């Protein structure tokens, strides 16, 4: 903890510099710079506040120890002991909270995501499960106050998806959904099964952060653009005009469809932004020895072939194999109640990092 505290002293000094800069008229007049500094200050605020509280508690403990050692009034001594008991417990809790806040942050944690779900092994049942997973994530997104936009889909005749891609936007989306990368296995009796036998099928989930600024040039000749009438909510405007845009990157076969914006031009701009993100991620993955090396972490590589979770319908059970967590409330999980699983994954990952930090500081 000593090394962490030494780092914190430097961090507090930098935090105070940032606050001074935010009051500088020159910085205030430079909107872009002011926004960057404000974000950095906001990101540091919680750990600085907790560290200041930690130091205040330590000082109070020291003052109380002076009273305990030198005071003759037994009532005052007893009060000081009781107060120190509470303060020492608070200091322990603050230490753990500060350690977690000082862990290296994933630079993508604040980003929106593009999620792609594919039916894998299991034919029609796999495509139906892909649809179930999509609805599960949509309901979870709703509880988080996030927005979900359809980018591209390949529906099947039975009502599921061979492949579906969505964009999820909101506060710290990637930080919570990055653990969903991998193969999801379902065990249940398909609607087409006359003998009542349980079948096992799989669907894969891929999560990638949306890159706001992508350093990639796409040759316009490599893009096919189709425009069509939007469907769904939006009234007369959205149904009577060809405002929806579908872009296909011919060399990779990546498709992006966008109809959520008000005009064709807005849909074109958004579709191009997402297409660049996906093409960039595609080429990045081709150039790496292992597809998910950049996202490798303590809870699994995120490889699409890795079975990360099993959804057992007959027993209403869901199991996350990476952390050995089993919950007997599959119905609630499929209704979007994912917090318990995601929080457990975050905690597990943080624990692994804390153990590594302790080894490095030993």
């Amino acid at each position: 903890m000593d090394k962490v505290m030494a780092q914190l002293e430097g961090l507090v000094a930098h935090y105070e510099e940032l606050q001074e800069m935010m009051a500088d008229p020159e910085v205030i007049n430079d909107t872009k710079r002011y926004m960057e500094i404000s974000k950095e200050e906001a990101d540091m605020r919680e750990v600085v506040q907790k560290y200041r509280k930690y130091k205040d508690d330590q000082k109070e403990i020291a003052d109380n120890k002076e009273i305990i050692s030198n005071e003759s009034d037994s009532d005052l001594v007893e009060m000081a002991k009781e107060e120190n008991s509470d303060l020492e417990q608070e200091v322990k809790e603050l230490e753990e909270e500060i350690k977690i806040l000082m862990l290296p942050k994933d630079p993508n944690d604040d980003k929106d995501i593009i999620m792609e779900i594919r039916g894998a092994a299991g034919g029609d049942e796999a495509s139906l499960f892909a649809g179930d997973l999509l609805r599960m994530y949509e309901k979870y997104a709703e509880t988080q106050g996030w927005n979900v936009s359809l980018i591209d889909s390949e529906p099947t005749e039975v009502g599921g998806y061979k492949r579906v891609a969505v964009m999820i936007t909101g506060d710290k989306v990637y930080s919570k959904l990055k653990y969903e990368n991998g193969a999801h296995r379902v065990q249940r009796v398909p609607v087409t099964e006359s003998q009542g036998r349980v079948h096992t099928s799989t669907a894969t989930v891929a999560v990638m952060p949306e890159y706001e600024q992508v350093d990639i040039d796409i040759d316009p000749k490599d893009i096919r653009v189709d425009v069509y009438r939007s469907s769904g909510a939006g009234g007369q405007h959205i149904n009577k005009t060809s405002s929806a845009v579908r872009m296909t990157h011919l060399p990779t076969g990546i498709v992006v469809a966008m109809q959520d914006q008000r005009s064709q031009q807005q849909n074109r701009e958004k579709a191009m932004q997402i297409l660049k993100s996906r093409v960039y991620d595609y080429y990045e993955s081709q150039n790496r020895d292992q597809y998910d090396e950049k996202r490798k972490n303590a809870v699994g590589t995120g490889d699409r072939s890795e079975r990360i979770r099993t959804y057992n319908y007959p027993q209403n059970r869901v199991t996350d194999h990476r952390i050995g967590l089993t919950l007997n409330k599959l119905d609630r999980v499929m209704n979007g109640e994912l917090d318990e699983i995601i929080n457990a994954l975050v905690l597990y990952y943080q624990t692994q990092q804390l153990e590594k930090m302790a080894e490095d500081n030993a």
Side-chain angles (χ1 to χ4, degrees), residues 19-44:
Q19 289 191 312
E20 287 178 16
M21 290 166 72
M22 287 170 65
D24 185 336
E26 206 172 296
V27 173
I28 292 169
N29 290 329
D30 186 338
T31 306
K32 185 181 177 185
R33 192 175 174 212
Y34 183 81
M35 292 295 287
E36 287 171 355
I37 293 169
S38 296
K39 185 181 184 307
E40 190 179 356
E41 186 267 349
D43 288 344
M44 294 168 64

Side-chain angles (χ1 to χ4, degrees), residues 60-77:
E60 277 194 66
I61 289 169
D63 291 344
N64 283 335
K65 283 181 178 177
E66 283 286 321
I67 292 170
I68 293 165
S69 299
N70 303 318
E71 182 60 55
S72 57
D73 187 324
S74 59
D75 289 340
L76 282 176
V77 170

Side-chain angles (χ1 to χ4, degrees), residues 22-290:
M22 287 170 65
D24 185 336
E26 206 172 296
V27 173
I28 292 169
N29 290 329
D30 186 338
T31 306
K32 185 181 177 185
R33 192 175 174 212
Y34 183 81
M35 292 295 287
E36 287 171 355
I37 293 169
S38 296
K39 185 181 184 307
E40 190 179 356
E41 186 267 349
D43 288 344
M44 294 168 64
R45 192 180 303 144
E46 186 179 3
V47 69
V48 168
Q49 287 173 347
K50 287 189 184 295
Y51 179 55
R52 284 174 174 166
K53 175 62 177 164
Y54 173 87
K55 286 179 72 178
D56 289 343
D57 284 358
Q58 291 280 45
K59 185 177 184 305
E60 277 194 66
I61 289 169
D63 291 344
N64 283 335
K65 283 181 178 177
E66 283 286 321
I67 292 170
I68 293 165
S69 299
N70 303 318
E71 182 60 55
S72 57
D73 187 324
S74 59
D75 289 340
L76 282 176
V77 170
E78 192 57 36
M79 283 174 59
K81 285 181 178 177
E82 286 179 12
E83 192 173 335
N84 267 10
S85 178
D86 293 338
L87 286 168
E88 283 162 3
Q89 180 59 37
E90 187 171 67
V91 162
K92 281 183 184 176
E93 291 170 3
L94 283 167
E95 277 187 3
E96 292 308 309
E97 290 169 5
I98 288 167
K99 283 178 187 175
I100 288 170
L101 288 168
M102 289 295 287
L103 289 173
K105 284 188 171 57
D106 186 330
N108 293 319
D109 273 353
D110 291 337
K111 287 185 168 62
D112 299 329
I113 67 159
I114 295 167
M115 174 182 280
E116 185 177 77
I117 306 172
R118 291 176 178 264
D124 286 347
E125 174 64 8
S127 74
L128 287 169
F129 183 51
D132 292 337
L133 287 175
L134 174 62
R135 284 184 287 277
M136 177 184 77
Y137 291 124
E138 285 175 332
K139 288 176 180 178
Y140 177 66
E142 191 178 333
T143 68
Q144 301 296 307
W146 299 338
N147 295 311
V148 181
S149 306
L150 183 69
I151 294 174
D152 184 32
S153 68
E154 194 175 336
T156 58
E157 291 180 1
V158 295
Y161 292 97
K162 185 176 179 183
R163 174 180 51 83
V164 60
V166 293
M167 184 170 186
I168 305 178
T169 59
D171 182 40
K172 301 185 187 304
V173 180
Y174 186 75
S175 71
K176 292 191 175 181
L177 291 183
K178 62 184 175 182
Y179 303 111
E180 298 305 296
N181 260 326
H184 296 240
R185 180 175 72 172
V186 62
Q187 295 172 326
R188 64 186 178 187
V189 179
V191 288
T192 54
E193 171 57 59
S194 58
Q195 303 297 318
R197 290 175 297 187
V198 173
H199 286 226
T200 299
S201 308
T202 57
T204 60
V205 176
V207 176
M208 58 168 279
E210 185 199 12
Y211 301 100
E212 292 172 8
Q213 299 293 330
V214 176
D215 187 19
I216 184 170
D217 291 319
I218 298 180
D219 191 330
K221 291 182 294 188
D222 288 339
I223 301 176
R224 186 179 75 235
V225 180
D226 302 303
V227 295
Y228 57 99
R229 290 185 182 179
S230 298
S231 59
Q236 293 182 339
H237 168 82
I238 202 164
N239 290 321
K240 286 192 171 182
T241 62
S242 296
S243 60
V245 174
R246 182 185 296 107
M247 289 187 177
T248 305
H249 185 246
L250 300 173
T252 61
I254 292 170
V255 179
V256 172
M258 185 56 58
Q259 64 176 41
D260 287 356
Q261 309 300 312
R262 288 290 295 169
S263 68
Q264 184 187 123
Q265 183 58 36
Q266 288 173 321
N267 280 321
R268 277 178 180 268
E269 290 172 2
K270 191 65 179 174
M272 178 57 79
Q273 180 187 352
I274 295 170
L275 186 71
K276 279 189 172 185
S277 284
R278 296 182 72 192
V279 171
Y280 176 83
D281 191 69
Y282 175 87
Y283 284 127
E284 277 289 287
S285 71
Q286 299 299 304
N287 293 332
R288 290 191 297 268
D289 291 333
Q290 294 181 352

